[in-house]
Coordinates of all heavy atoms in Angstrom, one line a residue:
M15 N 0.8 -1.2 0.0 CA 0.0 0.0 0.0 C 0.9 1.3 0.0 O 0.9 2.0 -1.0 CB -0.9 0.0 1.2 CG -1.8 1.2 1.3 SD -2.8 1.1 2.8 CE -4.3 1.6 2.2
F16 N 1.6 1.5 1.1 CA 2.5 2.6 1.1 C 4.0 2.1 1.1 O 4.5 1.7 2.1 CB 2.4 3.4 2.4 CG 1.0 4.1 2.6 CD1 0.1 3.7 3.5 CD2 0.7 5.1 1.7 CE1 -1.2 4.3 3.6 CE2 -0.5 5.8 1.8 CZ -1.5 5.3 2.7
S17 N 4.5 2.0 -0.1 CA 5.8 1.5 -0.2 C 6.9 2.2 0.5 O 7.9 1.7 1.0 CB 6.2 1.4 -1.7 OG 6.3 2.7 -2.3
W18 N 6.7 3.5 0.7 CA 7.7 4.3 1.4 C 7.7 4.1 2.9 O 8.6 4.5 3.6 CB 7.5 5.8 1.1 CG 6.1 6.3 1.3 CD1 5.1 6.3 0.3 CD2 5.6 6.8 2.4 NE1 4.0 6.8 0.9 CE2 4.2 7.1 2.2 CE3 6.0 7.1 3.7 CZ2 3.4 7.7 3.1 CZ3 5.2 7.7 4.7 CH2 3.9 8.0 4.4
L19 N 6.7 3.4 3.4 CA 6.6 3.1 4.8 C 7.3 1.8 5.2 O 7.7 1.6 6.4 CB 5.2 3.0 5.3 CG 4.5 4.3 5.6 CD1 3.0 4.1 6.0 CD2 5.2 5.1 6.7
G20 N 7.5 1.0 4.2 CA 8.1 -0.3 4.5 C 9.6 -0.3 4.9 O 10.2 0.7 4.8
T21 N 10.1 -1.4 5.3 CA 11.5 -1.5 5.7 C 12.3 -2.1 4.6 O 12.7 -3.2 4.6 CB 11.6 -2.3 7.0 OG1 11.1 -3.6 6.7 CG2 11.0 -1.7 8.2
D22 N 12.4 -1.3 3.5 CA 13.2 -1.7 2.3 C 14.7 -1.5 2.6 O 15.1 -0.4 2.7 CB 12.6 -1.0 1.1 CG 13.1 -1.5 -0.2 OD1 13.9 -2.5 -0.1 OD2 12.8 -0.9 -1.2
D23 N 15.4 -2.6 2.6 CA 16.9 -2.4 2.9 C 17.6 -1.8 1.7 O 18.7 -1.3 1.9 CB 17.5 -3.8 3.2 CG 17.0 -4.3 4.6 OD1 16.6 -3.5 5.4 OD2 17.0 -5.5 4.8
R24 N 17.0 -1.9 0.5 CA 17.7 -1.3 -0.6 C 17.9 0.3 -0.5 O 18.8 0.8 -0.9 CB 17.0 -1.6 -1.9 CG 17.1 -3.1 -2.3 CD 16.3 -3.4 -3.5 NE 14.8 -3.2 -3.2 CZ 13.9 -2.8 -4.0 NH1 14.2 -2.4 -5.2 NH2 12.7 -2.7 -3.7
R25 N 16.8 0.9 0.1 CA 16.8 2.3 0.2 C 17.4 2.8 1.5 O 17.6 4.0 1.7 CB 15.4 2.9 0.1 CG 14.9 2.6 -1.3 CD 13.6 3.3 -1.6 NE 12.7 3.1 -0.4 CZ 11.5 3.8 -0.3 NH1 11.1 4.5 -1.3 NH2 10.7 3.6 0.7
R26 N 17.7 1.9 2.4 CA 18.3 2.3 3.8 C 19.7 2.8 3.6 O 20.5 2.2 2.9 CB 18.2 1.2 4.7 CG 18.6 1.5 6.1 CD 18.4 0.3 7.0 NE 17.0 -0.1 6.9 CZ 16.3 -0.2 8.0 NH1 16.7 0.0 9.2 NH2 15.0 -0.6 7.9
K27 N 20.0 4.0 4.2 CA 21.3 4.6 4.1 C 21.8 4.8 5.6 O 21.0 4.9 6.5 CB 21.3 5.9 3.4 CG 20.9 5.8 2.0 CD 20.9 7.2 1.4 CE 20.5 7.2 -0.1 NZ 20.5 8.5 -0.7
D28 N 23.1 4.9 5.7 CA 23.6 5.2 7.0 C 23.4 6.7 7.3 O 23.6 7.5 6.4 CB 25.1 5.0 7.1 CG 25.4 3.5 7.0 OD1 24.6 2.7 7.5 OD2 26.5 3.1 6.4
P29 N 22.8 7.1 8.4 CA 22.5 8.5 8.7 C 23.8 9.3 8.8 O 24.8 8.8 9.3 CB 21.8 8.4 10.0 CG 22.2 7.2 10.6 CD 22.5 6.2 9.5
E30 N 23.7 10.5 8.3 CA 24.9 11.4 8.4 C 24.7 12.1 9.8 O 23.7 12.5 10.2 CB 24.9 12.5 7.3 CG 25.2 11.9 6.0 CD 25.3 13.0 4.9 OE1 26.2 13.9 5.1 OE2 24.5 13.0 4.0
V31 N 25.9 12.3 10.4 CA 25.9 13.0 11.7 C 26.5 14.4 11.5 O 27.6 14.5 10.9 CB 26.6 12.2 12.7 CG1 26.7 13.0 14.1 CG2 26.0 10.9 12.9
F32 N 25.8 15.4 12.0 CA 26.3 16.8 11.9 C 26.5 17.4 13.3 O 25.8 17.0 14.2 CB 25.3 17.7 11.1 CG 25.1 17.2 9.7 CD1 24.0 16.6 9.4 CD2 26.1 17.5 8.7 CE1 23.7 16.2 8.0 CE2 25.8 17.1 7.4 CZ 24.7 16.4 7.1
Q33 N 27.5 18.3 13.4 CA 27.8 18.9 14.7 C 26.7 19.9 15.1 O 26.4 20.1 16.2 CB 29.2 19.5 14.6 CG 30.3 18.6 14.4 CD 30.4 17.5 15.5 OE1 30.2 17.8 16.7 NE2 30.7 16.3 15.1
T34 N 26.2 20.6 14.1 CA 25.2 21.6 14.4 C 24.0 21.5 13.3 O 24.2 20.9 12.3 CB 25.7 23.0 14.2 OG1 26.2 23.3 12.9 CG2 26.9 23.2 15.2
V35 N 22.9 22.0 13.7 CA 21.7 22.0 12.8 C 22.0 22.9 11.6 O 21.7 22.5 10.5 CB 20.5 22.5 13.6 CG1 19.3 22.7 12.6 CG2 20.1 21.6 14.7
S36 N 22.7 24.0 11.8 CA 22.9 24.9 10.6 C 23.9 24.2 9.6 O 23.7 24.4 8.4 CB 23.5 26.2 11.1 OG 24.8 26.1 11.7
E37 N 24.8 23.4 10.1 CA 25.7 22.7 9.2 C 24.9 21.6 8.4 O 25.1 21.5 7.1 CB 26.8 21.9 10.0 CG 27.7 21.1 9.2 CD 28.6 20.2 10.1 OE1 28.8 20.6 11.3 OE2 29.2 19.3 9.6
G38 N 24.0 21.0 9.0 CA 23.1 20.0 8.3 C 22.2 20.7 7.3 O 22.0 20.2 6.2
L39 N 21.7 21.8 7.7 CA 20.8 22.6 6.8 C 21.6 23.1 5.5 O 21.0 23.1 4.4 CB 20.1 23.7 7.5 CG 19.0 23.4 8.5 CD1 18.6 24.6 9.2 CD2 17.9 22.7 7.7
K40 N 22.8 23.6 5.8 CA 23.6 24.0 4.6 C 23.9 22.9 3.6 O 23.7 23.1 2.4 CB 25.0 24.6 5.2 CG 24.9 26.0 5.7 CD 26.3 26.5 6.0 CE 26.6 26.3 7.5 NZ 27.8 26.9 7.9
K41 N 24.3 21.7 4.2 CA 24.6 20.6 3.2 C 23.3 20.2 2.5 O 23.3 19.9 1.3 CB 25.2 19.5 4.0 CG 25.5 18.3 3.1 CD 26.4 17.4 3.7 CE 26.7 16.4 2.6 NZ 27.6 15.4 2.9
L42 N 22.2 20.1 3.2 CA 20.9 19.7 2.6 C 20.5 20.7 1.5 O 20.1 20.3 0.4 CB 19.8 19.6 3.7 CG 18.5 19.1 3.2 CD1 18.6 17.7 2.7 CD2 17.5 19.2 4.3
Y43 N 20.6 22.0 1.8 CA 20.3 23.0 0.8 C 21.1 22.9 -0.4 O 20.7 22.9 -1.5 CB 20.4 24.4 1.4 CG 20.1 25.5 0.4 CD1 18.8 25.8 0.0 CD2 21.1 26.3 -0.1 CE1 18.6 26.8 -0.9 CE2 20.9 27.2 -1.0 CZ 19.7 27.6 -1.4 OH 19.4 28.5 -2.3
K44 N 22.5 22.8 -0.2 CA 23.4 22.8 -1.3 C 23.2 21.5 -2.2 O 23.5 21.5 -3.4 CB 24.8 22.9 -0.8 CG 25.1 24.3 -0.4 CD 26.5 24.5 0.1 CE 26.8 25.9 0.6 NZ 28.1 26.0 1.2
S45 N 22.9 20.4 -1.6 CA 22.8 19.1 -2.3 C 21.5 18.9 -2.9 O 21.4 18.2 -4.0 CB 23.2 18.0 -1.4 OG 22.3 17.8 -0.4
K46 N 20.4 19.4 -2.3 CA 19.1 19.0 -2.8 C 18.3 20.2 -3.4 O 17.8 20.1 -4.5 CB 18.2 18.5 -1.6 CG 18.8 17.2 -1.0 CD 18.7 16.0 -1.9 CE 19.3 14.8 -1.1 NZ 19.3 13.6 -1.9
L47 N 18.2 21.3 -2.7 CA 17.4 22.4 -3.1 C 18.1 23.3 -4.1 O 17.4 23.8 -5.1 CB 17.0 23.3 -1.9 CG 15.9 22.6 -1.0 CD1 15.6 23.5 0.2 CD2 14.6 22.4 -1.8
L48 N 19.3 23.6 -3.9 CA 20.0 24.6 -4.8 C 20.0 24.1 -6.3 O 19.7 24.9 -7.2 CB 21.4 24.9 -4.3 CG 22.2 25.9 -5.1 CD1 21.4 27.3 -5.0 CD2 23.6 26.1 -4.5
P49 N 20.3 22.8 -6.6 CA 20.3 22.4 -7.9 C 18.9 22.5 -8.5 O 18.7 22.9 -9.7 CB 20.7 20.9 -7.9 CG 21.5 20.8 -6.6 CD 20.9 21.8 -5.7
L50 N 17.9 22.3 -7.7 CA 16.5 22.4 -8.2 C 16.1 23.9 -8.5 O 15.5 24.2 -9.5 CB 15.5 21.8 -7.2 CG 14.0 21.8 -7.6 CD1 13.9 20.7 -8.7 CD2 13.2 21.4 -6.4
E51 N 16.6 24.8 -7.6 CA 16.4 26.2 -7.8 C 17.1 26.7 -9.1 O 16.6 27.5 -9.9 CB 16.8 27.0 -6.6 CG 16.0 26.8 -5.4 CD 16.5 27.6 -4.2 OE1 17.6 28.1 -4.2 OE2 15.7 27.6 -3.2
E52 N 18.3 26.2 -9.3 CA 19.0 26.6 -10.5 C 18.4 26.1 -11.8 O 18.4 26.8 -12.8 CB 20.5 26.1 -10.4 CG 21.3 26.9 -9.3 CD 22.6 26.3 -9.0 OE1 22.9 25.2 -9.5 OE2 23.5 27.0 -8.4
H53 N 17.9 24.9 -11.7 CA 17.3 24.3 -12.9 C 16.1 25.1 -13.4 O 15.9 25.3 -14.5 CB 16.9 22.8 -12.6 CG 16.2 22.2 -13.8 ND1 16.8 21.8 -14.9 CD2 14.8 21.9 -13.9 CE1 15.9 21.2 -15.7 NE2 14.7 21.3 -15.2
Y54 N 15.2 25.5 -12.4 CA 14.0 26.2 -12.7 C 14.3 27.8 -12.7 O 13.3 28.5 -12.7 CB 12.9 25.9 -11.8 CG 12.4 24.5 -12.0 CD1 12.7 23.4 -11.2 CD2 11.6 24.2 -13.2 CE1 12.2 22.1 -11.5 CE2 11.1 23.0 -13.4 CZ 11.5 21.9 -12.6 OH 11.0 20.7 -12.9
R55 N 15.5 28.2 -12.6 CA 15.9 29.7 -12.6 C 15.1 30.5 -11.5 O 14.6 31.5 -11.8 CB 15.6 30.2 -14.0 CG 16.4 29.6 -15.1 CD 16.2 30.2 -16.4 NE 16.6 29.3 -17.4 CZ 16.5 29.6 -18.7 NH1 15.8 30.7 -19.1 NH2 16.9 28.8 -19.6
F56 N 15.0 29.9 -10.4 CA 14.3 30.5 -9.3 C 14.9 31.9 -8.9 O 14.2 32.8 -8.6 CB 14.3 29.5 -8.1 CG 13.6 30.1 -6.8 CD1 12.2 30.2 -6.8 CD2 14.3 30.5 -5.8 CE1 11.6 30.7 -5.7 CE2 13.7 31.0 -4.6 CZ 12.3 31.1 -4.6
H57 N 16.2 32.0 -9.0 CA 16.9 33.1 -8.6 C 16.8 34.3 -9.5 O 17.0 35.4 -9.1 CB 18.4 32.8 -8.4 CG 18.6 31.6 -7.6 ND1 18.3 31.5 -6.2 CD2 19.2 30.4 -7.9 CE1 18.6 30.3 -5.8 NE2 19.1 29.6 -6.8
E58 N 16.3 34.1 -10.7 CA 16.1 35.1 -11.6 C 14.8 35.9 -11.4 O 14.7 37.1 -11.7 CB 16.1 34.6 -13.1 CG 17.4 34.0 -13.5 CD 17.4 33.5 -14.9 OE1 16.4 33.8 -15.7 OE2 18.3 32.8 -15.3
F59 N 13.8 35.3 -10.8 CA 12.6 36.0 -10.7 C 12.1 36.2 -9.2 O 11.1 36.9 -8.9 CB 11.4 35.3 -11.5 CG 11.1 33.9 -11.0 CD1 10.2 33.7 -10.0 CD2 11.7 32.8 -11.6 CE1 9.9 32.5 -9.6 CE2 11.4 31.6 -11.2 CZ 10.5 31.4 -10.2
H60 N 12.8 35.5 -8.3 CA 12.3 35.6 -6.9 C 13.4 36.2 -5.9 O 13.3 37.3 -5.5 CB 11.8 34.3 -6.4 CG 11.1 34.4 -5.0 ND1 11.7 34.3 -3.8 CD2 9.8 34.6 -4.8 CE1 10.8 34.4 -2.9 NE2 9.6 34.6 -3.4
S61 N 14.3 35.4 -5.5 CA 15.3 35.9 -4.6 C 16.6 35.2 -4.9 O 16.7 34.1 -5.5 CB 14.9 35.6 -3.2 OG 14.8 34.2 -2.9
P62 N 17.8 35.8 -4.5 CA 19.1 35.1 -4.8 C 19.3 33.9 -3.9 O 18.5 33.6 -2.9 CB 20.1 36.2 -4.3 CG 19.4 37.1 -3.4 CD 17.9 37.1 -3.8
A63 N 20.2 33.1 -4.3 CA 20.5 31.8 -3.6 C 21.0 32.1 -2.2 O 21.6 33.2 -1.9 CB 21.6 31.1 -4.3
L64 N 20.7 31.2 -1.3 CA 21.1 31.4 0.1 C 22.6 31.2 0.2 O 23.1 30.3 -0.5 CB 20.3 30.4 1.0 CG 18.8 30.6 1.1 CD1 18.2 29.5 2.0 CD2 18.4 31.9 1.7
E65 N 23.2 31.9 1.1 CA 24.6 31.7 1.4 C 24.8 31.2 2.8 O 23.8 31.0 3.6 CB 25.3 33.1 1.3 CG 25.1 33.7 -0.1 CD 25.8 35.1 -0.2 OE1 26.3 35.6 0.9 OE2 25.7 35.7 -1.3
D66 N 26.1 30.8 3.1 CA 26.3 30.3 4.4 C 25.9 31.2 5.6 O 25.4 30.7 6.6 CB 27.8 29.9 4.6 CG 28.2 28.7 3.7 OD1 27.3 28.0 3.3 OD2 29.4 28.5 3.5
A67 N 26.0 32.5 5.4 CA 25.7 33.4 6.4 C 24.2 33.4 6.7 O 23.7 33.7 7.9 CB 26.1 34.8 6.0
D68 N 23.4 33.0 5.8 CA 21.9 33.0 5.9 C 21.6 31.9 6.9 O 20.6 31.9 7.6 CB 21.2 32.7 4.6 CG 21.3 33.9 3.7 OD1 21.2 35.1 4.2 OD2 21.5 33.7 2.5
F69 N 22.4 30.8 7.0 CA 22.1 29.7 7.9 C 22.7 29.9 9.3 O 22.3 29.4 10.3 CB 22.6 28.4 7.3 CG 21.9 28.0 6.0 CD1 22.5 28.2 4.8 CD2 20.7 27.3 6.1 CE1 21.8 27.8 3.7 CE2 20.0 26.9 5.0 CZ 20.6 27.2 3.8
D70 N 23.8 30.7 9.3 CA 24.6 30.9 10.5 C 24.0 32.0 11.4 O 24.2 32.0 12.6 CB 26.0 31.2 10.2 CG 26.7 30.0 9.6 OD1 26.3 28.8 9.9 OD2 27.7 30.2 8.9
N71 N 23.3 32.9 10.8 CA 22.7 34.1 11.6 C 21.6 33.6 12.5 O 20.9 32.6 12.2 CB 22.2 35.1 10.7 CG 23.3 35.9 10.0 OD1 24.5 35.9 10.4 ND2 23.0 36.4 8.8
K72 N 21.3 34.3 13.5 CA 20.2 34.1 14.4 C 19.0 34.5 13.8 O 18.9 35.5 13.0 CB 20.4 34.8 15.8 CG 21.6 34.4 16.6 CD 21.6 35.1 17.9 CE 22.8 34.6 18.7 NZ 22.9 35.3 20.0
P73 N 17.9 33.8 14.0 CA 16.6 34.2 13.3 C 16.0 35.4 14.0 O 16.2 35.7 15.1 CB 15.7 33.0 13.6 CG 16.3 32.3 14.8 CD 17.8 32.6 14.8
M74 N 15.3 36.2 13.2 CA 14.6 37.3 13.7 C 13.1 37.1 13.6 O 12.6 36.5 12.7 CB 14.9 38.6 12.8 CG 16.4 39.0 13.0 SD 16.7 40.6 12.2 CE 16.3 40.4 10.5
V75 N 12.4 37.6 14.6 CA 10.9 37.3 14.7 C 10.3 38.7 14.9 O 10.7 39.5 15.7 CB 10.6 36.4 15.9 CG1 9.1 36.3 16.0 CG2 11.2 35.1 15.7
L76 N 9.2 38.9 14.1 CA 8.5 40.2 14.2 C 7.1 39.9 14.7 O 6.4 39.1 14.1 CB 8.5 40.9 12.8 CG 7.6 42.1 12.7 CD1 8.2 43.3 13.6 CD2 7.5 42.5 11.3
L77 N 6.7 40.5 15.8 CA 5.3 40.3 16.3 C 4.5 41.6 15.9 O 4.9 42.7 16.2 CB 5.3 40.2 17.8 CG 5.9 38.9 18.3 CD1 5.9 38.9 19.8 CD2 5.2 37.7 17.8
V78 N 3.4 41.4 15.2 CA 2.6 42.6 14.8 C 1.2 42.3 15.3 O 0.7 41.2 15.2 CB 2.6 42.7 13.2 CG1 1.7 43.8 12.8 CG2 4.0 42.9 12.7
G79 N 0.5 43.3 15.7 CA -0.9 43.2 16.2 C -1.4 44.4 16.8 O -0.6 45.4 17.2
Q80 N -2.6 44.5 17.1 CA -3.2 45.6 17.7 C -2.9 45.7 19.2 O -2.3 44.7 19.7 CB -4.7 45.6 17.6 CG -5.2 45.8 16.1 CD -6.7 45.8 16.0 OE1 -7.4 45.7 17.0 NE2 -7.2 46.0 14.8
Y81 N -3.1 46.8 19.8 CA -2.8 46.9 21.3 C -3.6 45.9 22.1 O -4.7 45.5 21.7 CB -3.0 48.3 21.7 CG -4.4 48.8 21.6 CD1 -5.3 48.7 22.7 CD2 -4.9 49.4 20.4 CE1 -6.6 49.1 22.5 CE2 -6.2 49.9 20.3 CZ -7.1 49.7 21.4 OH -8.3 50.1 21.2
S82 N -3.1 45.5 23.2 CA -3.7 44.7 24.2 C -4.1 43.3 23.6 O -5.2 42.8 23.9 CB -4.9 45.3 24.8 OG -4.6 46.5 25.5
T83 N -3.3 42.7 22.7 CA -3.6 41.4 22.1 C -2.7 40.3 22.7 O -2.8 39.2 22.2 CB -3.6 41.5 20.6 OG1 -2.3 41.9 20.2 CG2 -4.7 42.3 20.1
G84 N -1.7 40.7 23.5 CA -0.8 39.7 24.1 C 0.6 39.6 23.5 O 1.2 38.5 23.7
K85 N 1.0 40.6 22.8 CA 2.4 40.5 22.2 C 3.4 40.5 23.3 O 4.3 39.6 23.2 CB 2.6 41.7 21.3 CG 1.7 41.8 20.0 CD 2.0 42.9 19.2 CE 1.7 44.3 19.8 NZ 0.3 44.6 20.2
T86 N 3.4 41.3 24.3 CA 4.3 41.4 25.3 C 4.2 40.1 26.2 O 5.3 39.5 26.6 CB 4.1 42.6 26.2 OG1 4.2 43.8 25.4 CG2 5.2 42.7 27.3
T87 N 3.1 39.6 26.4 CA 2.9 38.4 27.2 C 3.5 37.2 26.4 O 4.1 36.3 27.0 CB 1.4 38.1 27.4 OG1 0.8 39.2 28.0 CG2 1.1 36.8 28.2
F88 N 3.4 37.2 25.1 CA 4.0 36.2 24.3 C 5.5 36.2 24.4 O 6.2 35.1 24.5 CB 3.6 36.4 22.8 CG 4.3 35.4 21.9 CD1 3.8 34.1 21.8 CD2 5.4 35.7 21.1 CE1 4.4 33.1 21.0 CE2 5.9 34.8 20.3 CZ 5.4 33.5 20.2
I89 N 6.1 37.4 24.4 CA 7.6 37.5 24.6 C 8.0 37.0 26.0 O 8.9 36.3 26.2 CB 8.0 38.9 24.4 CG1 7.8 39.3 22.9 CG2 9.5 39.1 24.8 CD1 8.0 40.8 22.6

């Protein structure tokens, strides 16, 4: 029924171990997503390719809303 749920030894790979999450995300992006983005010319009409600094920087979060809706409480 769901072939991807089975325990198929042919598709089983040894898991890669990364020291940090950002290191794993960088490798995944460069090996899987970047070739796809380049093939479909994603960078020509939307945004440039991600660089290592995009993965290493701390994330920013913006909270927007009317007064007295719990923004400060959320923080």
